[in-house]
Amino acid sequence: MRSATPSDDLTARARIRDAAIARFGRDGFGVSLRTIAQDAGVSAPLVLHHFGSKDRLRAECDAHVLATIAAHKEDAVGPSGPDHLLVELAQVETYAPLVAYVLRSVQHGGELARTFYAAFVADAEEYLRAGVAAGTVRPSRDEAARARFLTQQAIGGLLVALTLEPVDDPADLGPRLRAHMDAIALPALELYTDGLMTERRMLDAYLMYVTDPPVGAPATDPRPTS
């Protein structure tokens, strides 16, 4: 018996994988293999022939989405953060289902969610470090914690936006996320540029309260001296 897979089977395998990514991103990971098979235009037994189980199908979807996001990360957005990366990718109709899959995975939790989150945090920390070195970003007492916080805020904001106003068609995802970014641009830039509090009593009280305060470089007080 020949072990090589015919080329038409490879095409069907990719079609099933892409249909699963789109369906998982739209409806979550509880959808049936039969539904995915219908979306792909194949029979449910053919899905099992290629993947064996829904868990193995999901694993291949995970790997494909991770590889695609990584390959297009630099080109898509550069050093602007995970929210901009996902928004920019979602503008391209081809990638909108992948973005929905990422957000659904983060919402669902599990190992893939942790993998996505860790990758975005690492990128944010790198971008922030470069900004500090260039003098465009204030230093932090804990650069890693700041990167984690900003990543949580960015992805969390996208999840809230889509939870409150979900989209049924992946083609609508790009415009929906773009509208979200437009809505938060002013308050986010204002907060990140000018700050929120007019004095630092709460920060000083916290630093006195914690038993092991961070020892990194403190952020410069942004208040005018005059």
Side-chain angles (χ1 to χ4, degrees), residues 179-194:
H180 167 69
M181 294 301 295
D182 290 343
I184 69 170
L186 175 60
L189 289 172
E190 183 181 64
L191 182 63
Y192 291 154
T193 303
D194 295 333

Side-chain angles (χ1 to χ4, degrees), residues 6-208:
S7 58
D8 58 344
D9 280 356
L10 291 175
T11 302
R13 185 182 185 92
R15 193 163 68 247
I16 295 167
R17 180 203 63 208
D18 292 347
I21 288 172
R23 180 58 67 175
F24 285 147
R26 185 182 303 124
D27 297 333
F29 298 105
V31 297
S32 67
L33 289 180
R34 185 176 300 278
T35 299
I36 294 170
Q38 291 174 346
D39 290 347
V42 301
S43 66
L46 186 61
V47 176
L48 292 174
H49 165 73
H50 282 294
F51 297 98
S53 67
K54 189 163 76 170
D55 287 343
R56 288 177 58 186
L57 172 59
R58 166 110 191 255
E60 186 150 331
C61 291
D62 290 356
H64 179 72
V65 171
L66 281 170
T68 304
I69 294 292
H72 292 273
K73 182 162 47 182
E74 294 280 338
D75 294 337
V77 65
S80 298
D83 48 356
H84 283 79
L85 167 64
L86 297 178
V87 170
E88 292 301 320
L89 280 176
Q91 301 303 304
V92 183
E93 185 176 351
T94 304
Y95 299 126
L98 276 68
V99 175
Y101 188 94
V102 171
L103 294 174
R104 181 69 70 177
S105 297
V106 173
Q107 187 179 43
H108 183 77
E111 189 58 35
L112 181 65
R114 288 188 286 271
T115 299
F116 278 129
Y117 176 68
F120 286 137
V121 169
D123 287 342
E125 191 169 359
E126 180 181 344
Y127 301 149
L128 289 168
R129 187 181 300 112
V132 171
T136 59
V137 175
R138 298 180 187 277
S140 171
R141 292 174 175 81
D142 191 334
E143 299 288 359
R146 178 167 67 174
R148 289 193 298 272
F149 171 77
L150 291 176
T151 301
Q152 289 172 352
Q153 295 299 302
I155 297 179
L158 295 179
L159 287 173
V160 169
L162 289 179
T163 299
L164 296 179
E165 296 183 35
V167 295
D168 295 325
D169 187 344
D172 297 330
L173 180 61
R176 177 69 191 88
L177 294 184
R178 174 56 63 190
H180 167 69
M181 294 301 295
D182 290 343
I184 69 170
L186 175 60
L189 289 172
E190 183 181 64
L191 182 63
Y192 291 154
T193 303
D194 295 333
L196 178 65
M197 298 179 183
T198 59
E199 43 80 34
R200 51 176 297 149
R201 283 185 299 169
M202 290 186 66
L203 173 61
D204 289 338
Y206 172 78
L207 293 174
M208 291 291 293

